[in-house]
Amino acid sequence: MRRKRQSTFHLTVSQLITLGFGILILMGALLLMTPLATKNGESTNFLDALFTATSATCVTGLTTLTTNEHWSLFGQSVILVLIELGGLGFMTIPVFFFVLMKKKITLSTRMFLREAFNSQRMSGEIHLLLYVLKIALLIQGVGSLLLAVRFVPQFGWGKGLWYSVFHAISSFCNAGFDLFGDSLVGFQKDPWVLSIISLLIISGGLGFFVWHDLLEIRKNKRLSLHSQIALLVTAGLLVFGVIGFFFTEQNSGLLAEGNRWQRFFNTIFMAVTPRTAGFFSIDYFSMSHAGLVLTMVLMFIGGTSGSTAGGFKTTTFGVLLIKIRSIFKGRSRAEFRGRTIKEDTISRALTLFFAFLTVIIISTMILSVTETIPNVDQLGLEYIVFEVISALGTVGLTMGLTPDLTSIGKVIILSLMFLGRVGVMTVFFSFIFRANKNEANFKYPEESVIIG
């Protein structure tokens, strides 16, 4: 009797996530290629459609084509759906319908959700999923209504409501796509719109775990260490950004327009949007070099783990700061607020930091060869580095390079956006078919290495 051969081909969770995002992007690109997706009724070439679909799914906002001028209502709707699915996680919606139909959620699906949300919890994935959807829909709904207060009188009911919904979702998902053509430059003197967009960006960038902890604070009596670090680093970076831009841009002329109140809100917006939304109310091409460096630092750090934002992440940055503080105090353990952070977590943070820097350096070198820096006084390599960090951090800010990218440049930037959204470590691990997670049964002798 012949035995059936058991299939030895099994995809890991990292591979499934990478493949899932890839399929979603490809489907979006094929839809955007159709004549129905454009205002002029002509097909869009595959590379530009793929670039737009990647930017939308990876909630970045970098575009080679102007969203409002090129894409029809159908095309804009496809982009918005990709933003929502990419921001919440492409598995969120299907699993939600499984819950509604009372279908059984398998263990493998729960493990998949845990990895997709970057969660360390051993249970409660479905409960967290429902929280994600409730929080997202509630915040986006309220944001749409608040934006409608300004957009409906300005554009009429139909266009005003569409603009409100589109920009509320784009803001909450930290996508940065806009329908105005010049982002929010036209609202530079409108504190209401800048404030609502800023709050939506911060809400999406805080992360669903933080919102879950905040809403359950009465039951749990305390915030988790993750939420404490996320809130502290987020608040610290916001204050640091506002103070930094106040000093770096006071003589640049960027904030010369409007009264003090309006300049204050624009300064706050400049500190919020690099984390990692991509909207802008000022021209970054005219920003001072110190302001550009500050913006790149904020873009590099990004939002919080388990959120719609990208970047190195606030919690990862916070863990490294805690470890550095412990080293300076002469302690071997990283301790914070009565808790000890696992060494495995610190090792992952250091690995991620090295991986981010490596990707940025290699990408900058390639683009320095393939792209052309405009012949403008005082403009140098920052023109490319800014774009690279913006793409990898899924920010969407640009100094003007995106529309002029070569074919190779487009491939590099869309690859960076994919890496930034799916996760550098997730994509790298997806290339390893079956990683050996078991330690060896023996240990080599230890030996010191001189460093520093």
Side-chain angles (χ1 to χ4, degrees):
M1 188 173 180
R2 296 181 65 183
R3 294 181 180 177
K4 288 185 178 181
R5 287 187 177 181
Q6 292 183 349
S7 175
T8 57
F9 182 74
H10 297 286
L11 293 177
T12 64
V13 175
S14 296
Q15 290 169 334
L16 284 172
I17 293 174
T18 304
L19 182 63
F21 268 98
I23 292 174
L24 181 61
I25 290 171
L26 183 59
M27 291 174 59
L30 294 176
L31 288 174
L32 291 176
M33 286 181 66
T34 62
L36 185 62
T38 61
K39 285 189 174 181
N40 59 13
E42 298 179 359
S43 299
T44 303
N45 69 77
F46 176 71
L47 188 55
D48 282 325
L50 181 66
F51 192 97
T52 304
T54 303
S55 184
T57 307
C58 299
V59 290
T60 306
L62 291 174
T63 56
T64 56
L65 302 168
T66 306
T67 306
N68 187 42
E69 295 178 0
H70 183 80
W71 304 109
S72 64
L73 181 61
F74 173 75
Q76 293 171 10
S77 300
V78 171
I79 290 173
L80 192 63
V81 171
L82 291 175
I83 290 172
E84 189 77 281
L85 291 177
L88 301 182
F90 70 94
M91 275 294 292
T92 302
I93 306 300
V95 174
F96 175 67
F97 284 110
F98 270 104
V99 174
L100 284 182
M101 294 183 292
K102 297 182 179 179
K103 297 286 185 179
K104 185 178 180 181
I105 307 298
T106 63
L107 178 61
S108 59
T109 304
R110 293 176 183 273
M111 292 176 63
F112 186 92
L113 283 173
R114 189 182 307 162
E115 183 73 18
F117 284 122
N118 198 20
S119 173
Q120 301 296 322
R121 302 181 183 188
M122 301 306 295
S123 62
E125 295 85 6
I126 304 304
H127 177 69
L128 176 62
L129 166 66
L130 296 176
Y131 248 91
V132 166
L133 291 173
K134 288 178 182 178
I135 291 171
L137 293 177
L138 177 62
I139 295 177
Q140 290 173 0
V142 172
S144 299
L145 292 175
L146 293 175
L147 289 175
V149 172
R150 183 69 78 242
F151 292 160
V152 169
Q154 184 174 351
F155 301 107
W157 280 101
K159 189 175 181 181
L161 288 175
W162 172 240
Y163 274 35
S164 301
V165 172
F166 188 96
H167 291 93
I169 294 176
S170 183
S171 301
F172 177 79
C173 292
N174 281 225
F177 277 83
D178 72 276
L179 299 178
F180 303 113
D182 58 352
S183 196
L184 299 179
V185 173
F187 297 91
Q188 193 178 85
K189 298 181 181 180
D190 193 335
W192 177 264
V193 173
L194 295 181
S195 298
I196 300 304
I197 296 294
S198 296
L199 290 173
L200 286 169
I201 292 170
I202 294 172
S203 299
L206 272 180
F208 303 112
F209 300 118
V210 177
W211 279 110
H212 183 272
D213 277 356
L214 289 173
L215 294 174
E216 297 287 328
I217 187 66
R218 291 185 178 180
K219 182 188 299 184
N220 299 328
K221 303 299 182 183
R222 66 180 295 275
L223 292 174
S224 66
L225 185 62
H226 167 86
S227 297
Q228 292 181 52
I229 295 175
L231 290 170
L232 284 173
V233 175
T234 298
L237 289 175
L238 181 59
V239 173
F240 175 72
V242 171
I243 295 175
F245 284 123
F246 175 79
F247 285 105
T248 62
E249 305 309 312
Q250 61 179 342
N251 296 321
S252 66
L254 283 178
L255 302 175
E257 298 292 330
N259 55 39
R260 290 183 178 180
W261 187 246
Q262 292 167 344
R263 291 198 296 269
F264 172 71
F265 275 95
N266 275 279
T267 305
I268 293 178
F269 194 75
M270 289 167 62
V272 170
T273 192
R275 318 260 329 284
T276 57
F279 290 107
F280 59 89
S281 61
I282 53 93
D283 182 12
Y284 280 88
F285 193 84
S286 304
M287 181 177 280
S288 67
H289 283 87
L292 288 175
V293 172
L294 177 57
T295 302
M296 286 189 278
V297 169
L298 294 176
M299 290 195 299
F300 181 89
I301 297 174
T304 302
S305 298
S307 72
T308 61
F312 182 62
K313 299 298 191 301
T314 55
T315 43
T316 313
F317 179 67
V319 165
L320 292 184
L321 289 180
I322 293 170
K323 180 61 178 179
I324 292 172
R325 187 190 67 171
S326 299
I327 293 174
F328 285 159
K329 287 186 174 182
R331 298 175 181 174
S332 60
R333 297 186 297 271
E335 299 170 336
F336 183 74
R337 295 286 178 89
R339 294 290 186 272
T340 300
I341 299 175
K342 296 179 179 178
E343 285 299 319
D344 178 62
T345 302
I346 298 171
S347 297
R348 286 176 63 89
L350 290 170
T351 303
L352 186 59
F353 180 75
F354 178 77
F356 256 72
L357 287 181
T358 302
V359 171
I360 289 172
I361 292 171
I362 294 175
S363 302
T364 300
M365 291 174 63
I366 297 173
L367 292 177
S368 297
V369 176
T370 62
E371 310 307 311
T372 302
I373 299 176
N375 187 18
V376 180
D377 291 340
Q378 297 183 343
L379 187 64
L381 194 60
E382 69 274 8
Y383 186 70
I384 292 176
V385 177
F386 191 94
E387 194 89 5
V388 168
I389 297 177
S390 179
L392 185 60
T394 68
V395 182
L397 295 176
T398 180
M399 293 180 67
L401 176 60
T402 310
D404 300 323
L405 285 170
T406 62
S407 296
I408 297 176
K410 290 177 183 178
V411 173
I412 296 297
I413 293 298
L414 71 84
S415 299
L416 289 172
M417 292 189 290
F418 187 81
L419 275 174
R421 180 65 187 107
V422 179
V424 175
M425 301 301 292
T426 301
V427 175
F428 285 173
F429 281 135
S430 68
F431 288 104
I432 304 175
F433 185 71
R434 199 179 293 272
N436 183 15
K437 296 183 179 180
N438 297 321
E439 293 282 354
N441 293 324
F442 58 89
K443 180 181 177 182
Y444 292 108
E446 292 182 352
E447 184 174 346
S448 298
V449 176
I450 300 174
I451 61 174

